[in-house]
């Protein structure tokens, strides 16, 4: 459908920051500004300014291409065409050094996301693509750039997690959604969620605390992984999806939602060593897989109730 060309500068800026907020399934400009500020802080702390630049490239390039290809204007305004590109661009700066090849992968990957997303949506038969385009393009980039394996030695976290580690891990879980680790950045992400949806913030805080507590019983996770948020970020995303996509009976939603969050945690534990062996980052795949299963179950439960 041909768009009428009503994207003013104000709307374009709002779309840009909503792209950042959509990383956690929100469509709020103020939230997006805080999320971007969190990325800036994490980039400065990591002494990697390219993180900031790359995230902006993804936030601008992908929606611009979507606009040029006459994609739905409402989707562009709400940041739908920004979040996968933002995550991909950050991932590229995290996993590969700055180089000519890196820049080529940045541009071609953003183009690939814009082209791949509608094709993937058709294949999914009504399920949302979520962050799968980002995952697929990042895996492809890692294979092309020969990113080394991330297999690490086993270290039981139960003996090392002190109270300060729990607090740090719970907050870093939020920042790791953006593939980064920063206590201050994580706090800004939490603040951004508070501006957008306080209920979601409260639920994700409970899930974050629970994931850190359960990490003690996973013999294959290291202290650094837990403290840096690598253990809990997927369950936060899943809990947000459960709240936003839950329909029908509240009791059924709670039961299926709890199962979905638990499955996210378990699938992450199972898949992480396998993906590391293949030299591929796990990224948000457990969140995507769990949410798809949750939505499939929801759809079939609703169909069953309709028949009955």
């Amino acid at each position: 459908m041909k768009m009428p060309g009503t994207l003013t500068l104000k709307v374009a800026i709002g779309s840009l920051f909503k792209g950042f907020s959509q990383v956690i399934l929100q469509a709020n400009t103020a939230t997006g500004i805080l999320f971007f500020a969190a990325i800036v802080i994490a980039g400065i702390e990591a002494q990697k300014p390219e993180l900031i630049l790359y995230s902006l490239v993804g936030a601008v390039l992908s929606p611009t291409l979507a606009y040029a290809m006459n994609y739905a204007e409402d989707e562009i305004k709400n940041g739908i065409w920004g979040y996968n590109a933002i995550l991909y661009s950050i991932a590229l700066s995290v996993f590969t050094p700055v180089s000519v090849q890196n820049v080529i992968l940045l541009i071609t990957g953003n183009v690939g996301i814009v082209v791949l997303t509608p094709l993937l949506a058709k294949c999914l038969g009504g399920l949302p693509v979520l962050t799968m385009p980002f995952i697929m393009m990042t895996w492809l980039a890692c294979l092309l750039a020969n990113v080394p394996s991330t297999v690490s030695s086993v270290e039981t976290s139960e003996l090392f997690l002190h109270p300060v580690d729990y607090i740090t891990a719970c907050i870093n879980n939020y920042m790791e959604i953006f593939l980064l680790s920063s206590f201050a950045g994580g706090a800004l992400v939490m603040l951004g969620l508070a501006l957008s949806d306080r209920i979601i913030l409260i639920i994700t805080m409970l899930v974050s605390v629970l994931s850190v507590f359960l990490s003690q019983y996973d013999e294959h996770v290291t202290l650094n992984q837990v403290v840096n948020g690598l253990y809990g970020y997927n369950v936060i995303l899943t809990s947000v999806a459960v709240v936003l996509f839950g329909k029908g009976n509240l009791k059924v939603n709670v039961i299926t939602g709890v199962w979905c969050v638990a499955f996210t945690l378990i699938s992450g534990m199972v898949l992480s060593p396998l993906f590391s062996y293949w030299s591929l980052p796990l990224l948000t795949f457990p969140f995507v897989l769990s949410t798809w299963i949750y939505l499939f179950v929801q759809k079939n439960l609703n169909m069953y109730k309709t028949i009955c």
Side-chain angles (χ1 to χ4, degrees):
M1 184 178 72
K2 186 71 177 177
M3 293 190 304
T6 58
L7 291 182
T8 63
L9 179 60
K10 180 180 179 180
V11 172
I13 293 173
S15 170
L16 184 149
F17 286 114
K18 283 180 182 177
F20 285 95
S21 71
Q22 285 286 1
V23 171
I24 313 185
L25 306 177
Q26 306 298 301
N28 186 294
T29 301
T31 296
I33 291 173
L34 287 173
F35 286 2
F36 175 64
I39 294 171
V40 172
I41 290 174
I44 293 173
E45 289 179 354
Q47 297 183 335
K48 296 192 71 171
E50 65 270 19
L51 284 171
I52 305 166
L53 177 61
Y54 277 38
S55 70
L56 282 173
V57 170
V60 173
L61 182 56
S62 180
T64 301
L65 291 172
Y67 183 82
M69 296 175 70
N70 294 333
Y71 287 0
E73 185 175 334
D74 285 344
E75 292 182 354
I76 297 173
K77 288 180 178 180
N78 287 317
I80 298 300
W81 289 99
Y83 71 96
N84 273 299
I86 290 168
L87 287 173
Y88 169 76
S89 301
I90 293 174
L92 201 62
S93 64
V94 169
F95 297 126
T96 63
V98 177
S99 64
V100 174
Q101 180 193 40
N102 177 270
V103 174
I104 293 173
L105 286 173
L106 174 65
I107 297 172
T108 56
N110 273 275
V111 174
I113 285 173
V114 175
V115 174
L116 171 66
T117 299
L119 298 176
L120 183 59
K122 290 182 180 179
C123 294
L124 290 174
L127 290 173
V129 296
L130 301 174
T131 53
M132 200 61 202
F134 142 67
I135 294 169
M136 294 173 69
M137 292 307 301
T138 302
W139 284 346
L140 179 60
C142 286
L143 292 173
L144 292 174
N146 293 316
V147 174
S149 173
T150 56
V151 175
S152 58
S153 58
V154 175
E155 173 191 336
T156 304
S157 59
E158 184 177 8
L159 300 176
F160 298 96
L161 276 177
H162 301 297
V164 66
D165 295 325
Y166 275 91
I167 296 172
T168 302
C170 288
I171 294 178
N172 275 338
N173 282 343
Y174 288 88
M175 194 68 241
E176 188 58 39
I177 294 171
F178 294 86
L179 293 88
L180 304 169
S181 179
S182 168
F183 185 86
L188 279 179
V189 173
M190 294 175 70
L191 179 58
L193 275 178
L195 290 178
S196 182
D197 194 320
R198 291 187 181 90
I199 299 298
I200 284 181
L201 174 63
I202 292 171
I203 292 174
T204 56
M205 286 174 65
L206 293 174
V207 169
S208 182
V209 170
L210 180 61
S211 70
V212 175
F213 174 76
L214 292 176
S215 70
Q216 298 177 93
Y217 304 101
D218 184 356
E219 296 181 352
H220 301 288
V221 69
T222 67
L223 174 65
N224 283 337
Q225 288 174 331
V226 175
V227 172
N228 289 329
L230 287 163
Y231 200 81
Y233 70 99
N234 269 299
V235 292
I236 288 177
L237 284 171
T238 301
S239 63
V240 173
V242 167
V243 173
L244 294 178
F245 297 144
K247 297 178 181 179
N249 186 278
L250 178 61
K251 183 179 179 180
V252 173
N253 284 335
V254 170
I255 294 172
T256 54
V258 169
W259 176 90
C260 184
V261 171
F263 182 80
T264 304
L265 197 61
I266 294 170
S267 62
M269 292 166 55
V270 173
L271 293 174
S272 185
L274 182 63
F275 278 65
S276 294
Y277 179 78
W278 289 335
S279 299
L280 293 175
L282 186 63
L283 304 174
T284 53
F285 185 66
F287 148 66
V288 172
L289 180 61
S290 300
T291 303
W292 282 347
I293 294 174
Y294 173 75
L295 291 172
F296 179 80
V297 171
Q298 286 274 20
K299 180 180 179 181
N300 282 274
L301 282 174
N302 290 332
M303 287 178 61
Y304 175 77
K305 290 176 182 176
T306 302
I307 294 173
C308 292

